[in-house]
């Protein structure tokens, strides 16, 4: 599914290239997600903050996809977990997203 088709938003070619490179890395070069996560915490603290924003953006899109039924058996766990976490962050007033359906 194309990103434009998914969100209606435009994405820079550099951002799109990074997303594809990261997907390729995860698909064939990654040894341990836990070790990679630990290694990412060695980056400069400002960069950690920026990387976390990327993570939150990914989690948000998975949560919206789950709410709209755009998932299958291959990513249901990640989508459902993202939905639960994202909803909880909204309920705790840590994220503001008035368009996301919550039980609050």
């Amino acid at each position: 599914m194309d990103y434009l088709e998914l969100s209606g938003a435009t994405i820079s070619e550099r951002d799109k290239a990074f997303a594809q490179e990261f997907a390729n890395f995860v698909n064939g070069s990654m040894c341990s997600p836990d070790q990679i996560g630990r290694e990412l915490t060695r980056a400069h603290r400002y960069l950690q903050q920026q990387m976390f924003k990327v993570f939150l953006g990914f989690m948000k899109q998975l949560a919206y996809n789950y709410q709209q039924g755009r998932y299958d058996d291959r990513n249901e766990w990640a989508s459902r977990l993202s939905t639960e976490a994202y909803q909880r962050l909204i309920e705790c007033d840590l994220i503001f997203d008035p368009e996301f359906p919550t039980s609050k």
Side-chain angles (χ1 to χ4, degrees):
M1 178 177 289
D2 188 9
Y3 181 81
L4 285 173
E5 179 185 331
L6 185 63
S7 68
T10 58
I11 183 170
S12 75
E13 287 302 315
R14 288 176 51 177
D15 289 352
K16 194 172 187 177
F18 167 75
Q20 185 60 56
E21 187 63 33
F22 184 67
N24 291 342
F25 172 78
V26 169
N27 191 38
S29 300
M30 181 173 64
C31 294
S32 167
D34 288 334
Q35 289 177 359
I36 292 169
R38 194 170 20 262
E39 186 62 29
L40 289 173
T41 66
R42 296 176 190 254
H44 186 276
R45 298 222 171 134
Y46 172 77
L47 296 177
Q48 290 178 27
Q49 183 93 343
Q50 296 306 106
M51 287 186 275
F52 194 75
K53 289 177 184 179
V54 172
F55 162 75
L56 284 176
F58 180 55
M59 182 176 70
K60 175 183 176 177
Q61 189 61 58
L62 284 176
Y64 270 89
N65 291 352
Y66 188 77
Q67 291 289 332
Q68 297 165 2
R70 293 193 313 236
Y71 66 93
D72 62 26
D73 290 345
R74 296 167 293 178
N75 72 334
E76 182 177 9
W77 177 77
S79 299
R80 182 169 179 225
L81 188 61
S82 293
T83 301
E84 295 292 329
Y86 192 69
Q87 185 169 338
R88 183 71 179 131
L89 291 170
I90 292 169
E91 291 168 355
C92 291
D93 293 325
L94 295 170
I95 291 178
F96 179 71
D97 188 345
E99 297 186 17
F100 191 78
T102 63
S103 58
K104 192 175 183 181

